[in-house]
Each structure stands twice: as C-alpha cells, then as structure tokens.
Amino acid sequence: MKKITIAIDGFSSTGKSTLAKQLAKKLEYVYVDTGAMYRAVTLFAMKSGFVDAGKVDEDALVRSLDDIELNFIFNSDLGFAEMYLNGENVEKEIRTMPVSKNVSQVSVIQAVREKLVAMQQAMGVDKGVVMDGRDIGTVVFPSAELKIFMTASPEKRAVRRYKELLDRGEDVVYEDILENVQKRDYIDSNRAISPLKRAEDAIKFDNSDLGLEDQFQRIYEHSLRVIEKQA
C-alpha cells in the first residue's frame, strides 16, 4: 500500500505527540517529534548560558548552531525513539518546566527554524512518516496527504500538563502551568516566522472532551481512508 505523509499541528499539550506515536506504530510509519528538536536546542542554549531571565542571546545561539547534533534513537523498551543532543539522551530533561518556559523564545529564531526544518524535510523525504509540531502542514510538508490540526481549551491543556509533571515528580503549580500554556499560545500564534496556524486543508480536531482511545480510533480510521485513496 502506498505510504503518505501525515502532518499533525496544534497547540501545546493537545496530545499531538501521544497521538502521533500511536498512529506511527499502528501504521508502521516513522514518527518524528519536531517539538523535541526545538526543546533540545533550547536545552543546549540554556546549558550554554545563552538564556538569562527568559531572554535568549540570539547571536550567540546562531553562532553555535553548527555545534548542535540532534538524533532520534529508538528505545525498544519504550517503543519509540528518544531525543539525543550531542550524543546524550535528553528525553527527560527537555520535558521539564524550565525548558517549556523558554522553548517558544528559541523557536522564533529564524536560523534555528531553518536548520530544523531542513532536518525535518530530510527525515520525511521517503514518506511513510508521522510528524507533529507547529508548522508541519504549513511549512515543513505543505503537500502532506493528511493534515490534522489539534486544539483544546487552555484550561484543559493546563490540567493535562500539570498532571503529567506531577507524575514525573516535579514541584509545579497549576496557575503557573496555565500561564505558560497561554503565553506559548500567544508567542507561537503571533511570531513573524512560521506562526502556528491551521492549514486550509487541515482537519480541525478539538479533543477537549475526548479520551485518548476515542481520539486515536477516529483519526486512525480517517488515516486509512486517506491512504486507500492514494492507492
């Protein structure tokens, strides 16, 4: 059966990565978490001292982009690929609240986006890929056969993120999480370069009140219909 490119965009904490992993596994496609790539660059910037009080030294980071090597390495125990930064597994570190607070500021830098978009396009050149992020259907793969735009209320997304961080043992406050979600929504949607927006041919999917299994089943069945049309 002919393979396609599946682009999943949407706001933070809408479950894009969870859905994309499930879909890729079921279809036996490659999964690419572009958000992890931006988080890894953000972690690099933080560790390099390029981030101070929420401000990013853009010039210093751009000069160091050639020093950043990103790889996804499959973990058979977990069933998905983890993010490696310069040979180090940073999958857990990039999901922490400090990284979340700075990733939008790093993501607006044009040179960062150009570097990562080029990498993402190379990863999906042979199709058979499920890629999630903010600009996959609009910039990375505007010709993707299936585009999904995920959304949910900020409050519902903040609750999900809050529970996720608590489960990881982090000391967090719900109000801080909600503020971060709303701030990231604004920055992502209003940045000058590749803003978060729904592609005209993307299916809008509001999962505010849907369980993970119901959500997956609906999108999986729709994916099969799109794939069959390409045969």
Side-chain angles (χ1 to χ4, degrees), residues 16-46:
K16 298 186 301 296
S17 296
T18 299
L19 171 66
K21 288 175 188 174
Q22 291 177 312
L23 204 53
K25 184 176 182 180
K26 188 74 172 180
L27 295 172
E28 297 184 349
Y29 276 23
V30 174
Y31 164 61
V32 179
D33 179 359
T34 65
M37 299 171 73
Y38 285 100
R39 284 175 171 272
V41 174
T42 302
L43 180 64
F44 174 86
M46 293 167 64

Side-chain angles (χ1 to χ4, degrees), residues 33-41 70 72 83 116 119-120 123:
D33 179 359
T34 65
M37 299 171 73
Y38 285 100
R39 284 175 171 272
V41 174
L70 303 178
F72 287 103
M83 185 79 256
L116 297 193
M119 292 176 66
Q120 292 154 14
M123 292 174 183

Side-chain angles (χ1 to χ4, degrees), residues 17-146:
S17 296
T18 299
L19 171 66
K21 288 175 188 174
Q22 291 177 312
L23 204 53
K25 184 176 182 180
K26 188 74 172 180
L27 295 172
E28 297 184 349
Y29 276 23
V30 174
Y31 164 61
V32 179
D33 179 359
T34 65
M37 299 171 73
Y38 285 100
R39 284 175 171 272
V41 174
T42 302
L43 180 64
F44 174 86
M46 293 167 64
K47 287 187 171 183
S48 300
F50 302 154
V51 180
D52 182 31
K55 302 289 185 180
V56 180
D57 186 337
E58 180 175 337
D59 292 337
L61 177 55
V62 170
R63 286 195 300 270
S64 300
L65 285 180
D66 288 341
D67 298 327
I68 299 176
E69 180 182 344
L70 303 178
N71 298 103
F72 287 103
I73 299 179
F74 188 76
N75 184 323
S76 57
D77 293 331
L78 296 176
F80 62 87
E82 296 179 292
M83 185 79 256
Y84 280 70
L85 168 63
N86 293 337
E88 178 185 358
N89 187 328
V90 294
E91 186 66 30
K92 291 184 178 179
E93 278 187 276
I94 63 174
R95 309 295 177 182
T96 60
M97 196 60 195
V99 173
S100 294
K101 287 182 176 179
N102 292 297
V103 66
S104 290
Q105 289 89 322
V106 170
S107 299
V108 301
I109 300 173
Q110 183 173 353
V112 171
R113 300 203 71 82
E114 289 175 351
K115 177 185 177 74
L116 297 193
V117 166
M119 292 176 66
Q120 292 154 14
Q121 289 173 331
M123 292 174 183
V125 70
D126 295 323
K127 296 187 178 291
V129 64
V130 181
M131 195 173 291
D132 74 280
R134 299 290 194 280
D135 61 352
I136 310 305
T138 55
V139 175
V140 183
F141 289 111
S143 60
E145 292 86 350
L146 175 57

